[in-house]
Amino acid sequence: ISKSNLYHYFKNKEELFYELTDGAAEGLKKLILRFKDKRFDLHTGQREYQVLLTEEVISLLLAEKYGLLLIMEQAHGTRYESLRTSMIDMLAAKIAPMLADDDNCLLLAQIMARNLLDGTVQILKNRVRPREVRTCLNRLVEYHTKGINAMLK
């Protein structure tokens, strides 16, 4: 498709960006609300938490892969530029109160949350088949869940 043909359907880059990302952003917002509603709770047990988180996230990742990648890596200057930071802050806020190291718990929780999000983005960028995405994400979540559980109070 040529540039001129694209602009036949979209007024500008911004309109095209939002067409590609609005569905993904809505999915992320719903996921954030589910976290805030405590649907996902580490105290439900390591395995149950991992399954709930992975299945919820993987559905979104597979349905909105390219929109999510745009939001995570190209959203500067758009209405979605703070969504990545919001996700990291939300995850860190869930993790921090459970960590034993009170002096450093927020910093460590933010590092863990950022690492989880960065790992997810790398999986999306480097794995195409849904089965590969699912396998890699399961392993990443297992790694993080075990790490968090090892540091619990």
Side-chain angles (χ1 to χ4, degrees):
I1 298 174
S2 69
K3 276 187 182 181
S4 60
N5 203 12
L6 266 177
Y7 288 116
H8 176 73
Y9 298 99
F10 302 100
K11 294 177 190 171
N12 53 40
K13 288 180 188 177
E14 185 176 330
E15 189 176 302
L16 175 59
F17 179 84
Y18 291 130
E19 179 67 28
L20 295 171
T21 58
D22 281 348
E26 283 306 309
L28 284 175
K29 289 175 186 176
K30 287 178 184 175
L31 191 62
I32 289 169
L33 288 176
R34 286 190 186 104
F35 266 73
K36 287 182 178 178
D37 291 341
K38 298 182 182 181
R39 177 172 171 199
F40 299 120
D41 186 353
L42 280 176
H43 296 296
T44 61
Q46 180 177 348
R47 187 67 189 145
E48 295 98 325
Y49 176 76
Q50 182 180 339
V51 169
L52 279 173
L53 176 62
T54 303
E55 289 308 312
E56 191 78 19
V57 171
I58 197 120
S59 295
L60 178 62
L61 294 177
L62 293 174
E64 300 289 349
K65 178 179 179 174
Y66 298 105
L68 289 168
L69 285 172
L70 283 170
I71 290 171
M72 292 298 127
E73 297 193 319
Q74 303 294 322
H76 182 70
T78 72
R79 65 180 174 234
Y80 300 136
E81 76 178 313
S82 66
L83 202 49
R84 177 183 171 82
T85 302
S86 295
M87 289 187 66
I88 291 169
D89 291 345
M90 181 219 33
L91 287 167
K94 293 284 275 184
I95 297 167
M98 295 180 272
L99 299 179
D101 186 350
D102 290 333
D103 293 335
N104 299 304
C105 64
L106 186 57
L107 174 64
L108 292 172
Q110 287 174 331
I111 291 168
M112 289 176 193
R114 185 171 290 109
N115 182 272
L116 177 60
L117 197 56
D118 289 344
T120 301
V121 167
Q122 288 303 311
I123 290 168
L124 285 179
K125 288 171 70 173
N126 293 291
R127 294 294 174 255
V128 177
R129 294 185 196 109
R131 183 176 177 186
E132 291 176 332
V133 172
R134 181 178 298 278
T135 299
C136 289
L137 187 63
N138 275 324
R139 289 183 179 159
L140 181 65
V141 170
E142 180 179 4
Y143 164 78
H144 278 275
T145 304
K146 286 181 179 180
I148 292 167
N149 282 330
M151 298 178 73
L152 291 178
K153 289 182 178 180

